[in-house]
Amino acid sequence: MGGKTIERIRPVENYDTQHYWQGLRDGKLLIQQCAACGIRRHPPQPMCEKCQSLDWTTFESGLEGTIYSYTVIHYPEIPPFEYPNAVVLVELDEGVRIVAQLTGSDPDKIEIGQRVVARLVEVQDGLTLPLFEVTS
Ligand code: ZN
């Protein structure tokens, strides 16, 4: 066999998103926060949906949250992911929701409301992602 390893598609890093990807490489989950009204938002975007301010800052989020929703992908099997591939929408304790992979769980035993914690894992060279695991 052998051959070239198929890699994940790299995220676009621009002015509005670079803090997020660089933060993950630095071992921090940085979430955007409006500098005008204080509302927190994820994924990163240039403008506040609430007050239309273009001014924003970031804060370092904790890594714990609750499964808000999830799906388990069985088919088609697209490299480099392993299947079944559990994808969760996690409500972080800081109040924003984030989509990520769930690892280490039997897909049949995933439940909405389970407590999870993220590990920040370098999944390929220069790309670090939060991968969640159930804690309860
Ligand atoms: Zn705002």
Side-chain angles (χ1 to χ4, degrees):
M1 297 294 285
K4 188 177 186 310
T5 303
I6 296 174
E7 295 206 326
R8 296 176 188 234
I9 296 169
R10 283 187 180 272
V12 174
E13 295 192 34
N14 58 31
Y15 174 80
D16 295 305
T17 63
Q18 202 267 342
H19 70 275
Y20 179 71
W21 303 108
Q22 185 60 48
L24 291 173
R25 283 190 288 269
D26 295 339
K28 300 175 194 170
L29 181 58
L30 296 180
I31 299 294
Q32 224 180 8
Q33 185 164 23
C34 177
C37 76
I39 201 167
R40 297 168 169 185
R41 63 181 188 247
H42 186 82
Q45 56 194 56
M47 182 185 288
C48 177
E49 287 182 10
K50 188 178 170 200
C51 76
Q52 284 76 55
S53 172
L54 294 170
D55 296 326
W56 53 268
T57 183
T58 63
F59 70 95
E60 185 176 351
S61 173
L63 299 176
E64 293 180 53
T66 303
I67 296 177
Y68 183 85
S69 185
Y70 71 94
T71 189
V72 179
I73 303 163
H74 295 271
Y75 183 87
E77 297 193 2
I78 299 168
F81 300 102
E82 291 178 11
Y83 290 82
N85 181 11
V87 177
V88 284
L89 178 61
V90 171
E91 182 152 289
L92 294 171
D93 291 347
E94 276 73 7
V96 298
R97 293 176 191 156
I98 184 169
V99 174
Q101 278 184 282
L102 184 75
T103 61
S105 276
D106 179 340
D108 293 332
K109 294 186 175 156
I110 302 169
E111 291 178 31
I112 288 169
Q114 280 178 318
R115 293 288 294 166
V116 290
V117 64
R119 291 177 301 126
L120 307 184
V121 178
E122 187 174 31
V123 295
Q124 65 194 39
D125 193 31
L127 176 61
T128 300
L129 296 176
L131 303 181
F132 282 88
E133 290 178 355
V134 171
T135 58
S136 57

